[in-house]
Amino acid sequence: QVQLVESGGGLVQPGGSHRLSCAASGIIFSRYSMDWYRQAPGKQRDLVARVTYGGSTLYADSVKGRFTISRDNAKNTVYLQMNSLKPEDTAVYLCNAHPVLSTWGNDYWGQGTQVTISS
């Protein structure tokens, strides 16, 4: 059974920092790139950041220079370090596992964790 379990959501003041974690189980972690998405109320789900098994990363323009994605392959865990947080970063953050080859499996999603930026 595949599980992606996010943790670390909460209320953060503008300008603050916060870290999200996503622990994966039931997949061969090396076969998946790991992504963080976010979805604000009434808006579409957008890709925030991606990290490959080898550590290559990409970021949405809106978070470049503020967010850092990383993964610990020994722990099957991906992280999202968020700095200089803004109210517009408020959203449900979701972890996604995307197979490098489609024959290796499906896309899997976590349940999401709420991050609210407010004073």
Side-chain angles (χ1 to χ4, degrees):
Q1 180 182 1
V2 177
Q3 281 193 308
L4 300 179
V5 181
E6 300 104 335
S7 60
L11 176 65
V12 186
Q13 290 194 337
S17 297
H18 207 65
R19 190 176 83 158
L20 305 179
S21 301
C22 172
S25 60
I27 60 172
I28 301 174
F29 201 58
S30 61
R31 294 185 173 185
Y32 290 79
S33 66
M34 298 299 295
D35 304 342
W36 283 100
Y37 282 75
R38 68 185 180 187
Q39 187 166 20
K43 296 190 176 181
Q44 67 181 21
R45 185 174 295 183
D46 291 325
L47 177 67
V48 175
R50 171 172 292 160
V51 60
T52 68
Y53 184 75
S56 297
T57 59
L58 66 81
Y59 296 93
D61 287 343
S62 59
V63 306
K64 279 181 183 176
R66 299 189 299 122
F67 290 12
T68 302
I69 190 171
S70 61
R71 62 192 287 166
D72 185 332
N73 293 325
K75 296 181 178 179
N76 284 12
T77 300
V78 61
Y79 305 97
L80 186 68
Q81 176 66 43
M82 305 181 292
N83 299 328
S84 302
L85 284 160
K86 305 175 182 180
E88 51 263 43
D89 294 318
T90 295
V92 174
Y93 284 72
L94 303 107
C95 179
N96 171 263
H98 181 72
V100 174
L101 299 179
S102 60
T103 52
W104 283 354
N106 302 316
D107 268 84
Y108 298 103
W109 292 89
Q111 80 286 353
T113 186
Q114 177 71 46
V115 175
T116 301
I117 313 303
S118 175
S119 54

